[in-house]
Amino acid sequence: LMKKHLFSVLTVITIFFMGACNEDESIVSGENNYGTLAVSIQQNVAYGNDPQQIYDLYLPEGRNAATTKAIILVRGGGWAAGDKNDMESYIDLILENNPNHAIVNINYRLAIIDYRAAFPNQFNDLGAIINKLTFESETLQIKPEFGLLGASAGAHISLQYDSVYD
């Protein structure tokens, strides 16, 4: 158990040293000329009723439900600020080093004083995304196995979630 958490912490630290990507890039999904699934990018996919409950999904070429695992990016922001766009600069390097993985870049509901607490809302948001992706895994052609990469508050949410469910 300690090794798993140490790996998670080291992974969280590693995420800060990754490269940049072009946020205007978009790729259409479908099949390529070889009959395998093409790269697909889906932006601002809803997973709840709150406008902050959205994620971007990057699906690799040739994916399949038996082998394509997903990496979920959980951004920081002190539980009360930030946006999934803060993690976009890491996506190209993650895809370069993990070309057969799907990437899920998430937003979660922000904590707002006198209105909404961080816990358990943000913890539940991560669970809702994982449940949605698991339910849609055959359609998306991903294996329902997820790695969590977080920065700052996102690292806390990821480690907390992993501690309870792994």
Side-chain angles (χ1 to χ4, degrees):
L1 182 63
M2 182 63 149
K3 286 183 181 180
K4 279 181 152 178
H5 290 292
L6 179 58
F7 177 74
S8 296
V9 171
L10 291 175
T11 302
V12 169
I13 292 168
T14 303
I15 194 86
F16 288 105
F17 298 102
M18 295 186 171
C21 75
N22 179 357
E23 67 183 59
D24 295 338
E25 193 174 320
S26 63
I27 299 172
V28 178
S29 64
E31 287 194 13
N32 61 23
N33 293 336
Y34 305 106
T36 61
L37 291 174
V39 170
S40 175
I41 298 175
Q42 301 173 23
Q43 295 185 315
N44 299 316
V45 178
Y47 67 90
N49 295 325
D50 190 291
Q52 294 176 338
Q53 292 175 304
I54 57 173
Y55 62 87
D56 295 341
L57 179 61
Y58 301 81
L59 298 169
E61 180 178 20
R63 65 193 171 276
N64 69 69
T67 61
T68 304
K69 298 177 185 177
I71 299 170
I72 299 175
L73 305 180
V74 188
R75 55 131 179 104
W79 304 275
D83 186 81
K84 63 182 171 55
N85 296 334
D86 299 341
M87 298 295 282
E88 283 186 358
S89 61
Y90 305 115
I91 293 171
D92 278 347
L93 187 58
I94 293 170
L95 290 172
E96 180 180 317
N97 289 297
N98 302 280
N100 299 318
H101 285 70
I103 305 295
V104 186
N105 188 16
I106 73 167
N107 262 354
Y108 50 80
R109 291 174 288 173
L110 300 175
I112 301 170
I113 295 175
D114 296 329
Y115 175 65
R116 181 174 43 221
F119 186 84
N121 293 312
Q122 296 164 354
F123 184 81
N124 291 337
D125 284 355
L126 181 53
I129 292 165
I130 290 171
N131 289 338
K132 183 179 190 309
L133 293 170
T134 298
F135 181 77
E136 297 175 352
S137 61
E138 282 296 322
T139 302
L140 296 171
Q141 287 296 288
I142 62 170
K143 187 174 185 173
E145 290 187 14
F146 307 94
L148 305 175
L149 294 176
S152 191
H156 175 258
I157 294 165
S158 297
L159 288 172
Q160 182 182 33
Y161 191 89
D162 181 62
S163 175
V164 171
Y165 291 107
D166 188 4

